[in-house]
Amino acid sequence: MSQDSEINSNSTASSYTSAFISTYESLIKIVSHIELRSDVRRTARAVRLTNCLRKNLTEDTLIQYLLNFGLLKNSELNARLSSFLIIEEDEETDSAMSVCAIEFSLELEFYCYFLVLIFLIDQKRYNEAKACSLDGITRVMSLNMAELDSVSVLAARLYFYYSYSYEVSGDIAEIRWNLLDWYSVAALNHDELGQETLLNLLLRNYLHYNLYDQAEKLRSKAPKFLSLSSQQTRRYLFYTGKIQTIRLAYTDAKESFLQAVWRGPVAARGFRIQCTKWTVLVRLLLGEIPERTVFMQSGMERILRPYFELTNAVRIGDLELFGNVAEEFAGTFISDGTKNLIVRLQHSVIRTGLRSISISYSTISLAEVADKLKMHSRNLLADVENVVAKAIGDGAINAKIDHANGWLISKETRDIYATAEPQVAFSSRISFYLNLYNETVRALLLPSGNDMHDSRRSASQALYGELLELLEEVRDKYLKK
């Protein structure tokens, strides 16, 4: 009798919901899929299929039944994993869905660790998740290189959820030495996927506490090799971009973020949003203004609104508006970890405003400059003078300060009549008139095959004649001098 028929015929099993039974059957297929032929691709596919079922993994009983099916019921591993679950006594003795116990492979062993671990994470039982993941990783450390190759995908998931369970409970710093030790072991065993995963977890650990120098030191010394996981590559590029941004390497940071977005799938919406936020800030720090379409991406308009308002304030150089936006969305910027970059952007706002002023005014008092920038301080004129002097020193504006009289004297050459712009515009207008004249002449010379509308044709010819006279007048006036 098959497993399905036993479930349907048993009175105890019939009390379970259809969703419960359907999920259980799907898990059995995944286990059978692993047992049929174990390799890295099959294991990776099993992980993806299990992730699709996560929303249905809501009961300890379901996980226990799967453990009893996949593992020997009285095995040490089954007992160890079952200790992380909450099973009532009557459910422990119920064997309606726990038949067909089979010998289990190494891949199945780590798949069961993974299954129990994601269940505990989703149920927010983080203490049990810490213990379960550490137990699984300890088992990983005992494997030789050949054995590790077959379970590298599942081992990487154990590393990730181990770090995640500590991160959500706020004590991520205490696991840093464990991650470093495991990273060294992965390097010695040539476990490249493990190295990628643990390197990203270490970078995430350092960045969580703003330890950018230590993160850059680790990143620069980490060996480079062909990436095995596009997901780990995206995370690495994102963390690298954050490090480069803090270290003022804005051009490199922009490239890292753009590559991360380009490599990210459309479904990874949260990751793309985070990359877009940082890309916007880096472009603003570079003096670029992101296109409006960046903020209008499907499903991102509301989330990116704070950064759109910030971009608008930088674009027009309004210091007061910039301050209001920074204050209004302060909570968002703090949670995104971009508050320090917002403070840096204030200088960009001032430079943008000063460039606009220096182009519009040949001479303007420093008091008026402060008013247009909407600067407010106790020593206003002294502060404005310092800000203007810094902008001149940085090359942001071409001007000088008359310290004696308190004036800003611009050296910008923006008089269009001193350039070729008027001549270009006049030539364009002349070309338009000539083209219109030629088109009119050709229209008058075209024969008409409709003799039934003589009056209408005569009126049209008269109108063309008047237009032709006007064009000839323009031609004689401007082109024959």
Side-chain angles (χ1 to χ4, degrees):
M1 182 181 293
S2 67
Q3 181 73 22
D4 295 343
S5 61
E6 289 192 33
I7 291 175
N8 294 329
S9 61
N10 191 280
S11 59
T12 305
S14 63
S15 62
Y16 295 106
T17 64
S18 58
F20 184 100
I21 297 176
S22 175
T23 305
Y24 177 71
E25 291 174 345
S26 299
L27 290 173
I28 289 176
K29 291 179 181 178
I30 294 174
V31 170
S32 303
H33 181 79
I34 294 175
E35 282 296 305
L36 180 63
R37 190 181 66 189
S38 297
D39 56 44
V40 175
R41 290 186 177 182
R42 283 178 174 268
T43 305
R45 185 169 186 269
V47 171
R48 291 195 299 271
L49 293 173
T50 306
N51 283 328
C52 295
L53 297 172
R54 288 181 67 161
K55 63 181 181 180
N56 296 327
L57 302 179
T58 58
E59 299 183 42
D60 295 72
T61 308
L62 175 61
I63 306 300
Q64 182 63 66
Y65 286 158
L66 195 281
L67 293 178
N68 292 341
F69 174 83
L71 307 175
L72 292 172
K73 188 172 181 179
N74 297 323
S75 67
E76 180 184 355
L77 178 60
N78 193 337
R80 193 159 60 243
L81 291 175
S82 298
S83 66
F84 303 117
L85 303 175
I86 303 174
I87 305 296
E88 298 180 2
E89 293 183 2
D90 58 337
E91 291 176 337
E92 289 181 353
T93 58
D94 181 13
S95 59
M97 300 177 67
S98 58
V99 297
C100 300
I102 56 177
E103 294 289 342
F104 52 91
S105 64
L106 193 62
E107 290 83 356
L108 181 57
E109 175 182 350
F110 281 98
Y111 174 78
C112 290
Y113 268 112
F114 167 72
L115 181 65
V116 172
L117 183 55
I118 62 172
F119 170 75
L120 295 173
I121 291 289
D122 291 343
Q123 298 300 312
K124 297 182 173 54
R125 286 148 57 177
Y126 298 119
N127 289 332
E128 292 88 344
K130 293 175 186 179
C132 179
S133 56
L134 182 59
D135 190 69
I137 294 172
T138 303
R139 178 76 173 95
V140 172
M141 293 297 109
S142 67
L143 301 179
N144 58 43
M145 292 176 58
E147 293 173 328
L148 190 58
D149 285 342
S150 62
V151 296
S152 58
V153 174
L154 293 168
R157 305 313 296 166
L158 295 182
Y159 296 140
F160 173 79
Y161 286 116
Y162 173 78
S163 177
Y164 178 80
S165 61
Y166 277 87
E167 183 176 343
V168 294
S169 58
D171 48 4
I172 191 174
E174 66 182 72
I175 67 170
R176 191 177 302 148
W177 288 109
N178 284 344
L179 296 178
L180 286 169
D181 289 341
W182 297 336
Y183 179 74
S184 300
V185 173
L188 291 174
N189 290 332
H190 302 287
D191 178 12
E192 295 183 353
L193 180 57
Q195 290 181 70
E196 288 183 79
T197 305
L198 289 165
L199 175 60
N200 283 333
L201 292 176
L202 283 165
L203 293 178
R204 183 183 182 91
N205 195 300
Y206 284 126
L207 296 181
H208 183 81
Y209 294 99
N210 298 324
L211 301 175
Y212 292 97
D213 290 338
Q214 291 90 326
E216 173 59 20
K217 185 177 180 180
L218 173 65
R219 190 191 70 85
S220 61
K221 291 186 176 181
K224 303 296 188 297
F225 43 78
L226 184 63
S227 176
L228 297 177
S229 169
S230 59
Q231 183 185 59
Q232 296 303 327
T233 301
R234 294 193 300 271
R235 290 176 179 173
Y236 178 78
L237 288 170
F238 178 66
Y239 298 143
T240 299
K242 293 179 73 172
I243 294 170
Q244 292 167 334
T245 301
I246 299 301
R247 295 173 63 86
L248 308 181
Y250 298 136
T251 303
D252 294 336
K254 175 186 172 183
E255 183 64 24
S256 296
F257 288 129
L258 290 177
Q259 283 193 36
V261 172
W262 177 71
R263 290 171 179 267
V266 177
R269 181 170 169 269
F271 178 80
R272 295 174 67 87
I273 289 174
Q274 288 300 316
C275 287
T276 301
K277 290 177 179 178
W278 280 79
T279 305
V280 167
L281 293 179
V282 167
R283 292 186 63 182
L284 290 175
L285 289 168
L286 283 170
E288 304 175 8
I289 302 298
E291 302 79 8
R292 187 182 182 89
T293 53
V294 171
F295 308 96
M296 298 294 108
Q297 300 179 63
S298 177
M300 299 186 185
E301 298 91 336
R302 183 182 59 82
I303 299 176
L304 294 178
R305 180 173 172 266
Y307 294 88
F308 173 74
E309 299 292 343
L310 199 69
T311 300
N312 186 51
V314 175
R315 179 180 59 82
I316 63 179
D318 191 326
L319 197 59
E320 184 177 30
L321 176 60
F322 176 83
N324 293 337
V325 172
E327 183 178 357
E328 180 182 357
F329 300 105
T332 300
F333 298 139
I334 291 173
S335 64
D336 290 342
T338 57
K339 183 66 175 179
N340 292 335
L341 300 182
I342 305 302
V343 175
R344 293 187 194 177
L345 272 179
Q346 185 172 354
H347 301 295
S348 299
V349 178
I350 293 173
R351 286 198 301 268
T352 302
L354 287 174
R355 278 198 296 268
S356 177
I357 291 172
S358 65
I359 290 173
S360 303
Y361 297 88
S362 59
T363 304
I364 185 173
S365 68
L366 293 177
E368 289 183 272
V369 171
D371 181 64
K372 290 185 177 298
L373 291 177
K374 295 182 174 59
M375 294 181 62
H376 307 286
S377 64
R378 184 171 300 176
N379 301 318
L380 185 60
L381 292 180
D383 291 344
V384 172
E385 187 172 338
N386 291 334
V387 167
V388 173
K390 186 177 187 308
I392 294 173
D394 293 342
I397 59 174
N398 185 13
K400 66 178 182 178
I401 301 175
D402 182 354
H403 296 280
N405 299 312
W407 290 88
L408 172 64
I409 302 173
S410 175
K411 297 180 182 179
E412 299 283 354
T413 306
R414 291 298 298 167
D415 183 1
I416 65 169
Y417 295 103
T419 67
E421 291 184 32
Q423 183 179 356
V424 172
F426 189 60
S427 299
S428 176
R429 185 170 298 180
I430 290 174
S431 177
F432 168 75
Y433 278 125
L434 286 175
N435 290 333
L436 183 59
Y437 173 81
N438 293 330
E439 290 294 330
T440 304
V441 171
R442 279 197 294 269
L444 288 174
L445 297 177
L446 288 175
S448 175
N450 189 357
D451 297 331
M452 299 180 63
H453 303 285
D454 293 337
S455 58
R456 183 179 300 176
R457 187 168 60 252
S458 299
S460 298
Q461 288 177 348
L463 180 61
Y464 283 134
E466 294 176 4
L467 180 59
L468 187 60
E469 291 177 3
L470 290 174
L471 292 173
E472 288 177 344
E473 182 180 348
V474 171
R475 183 191 61 185
D476 295 339
K477 182 178 181 180
Y478 292 102
L479 300 181
K480 291 188 178 181
K481 288 187 177 182

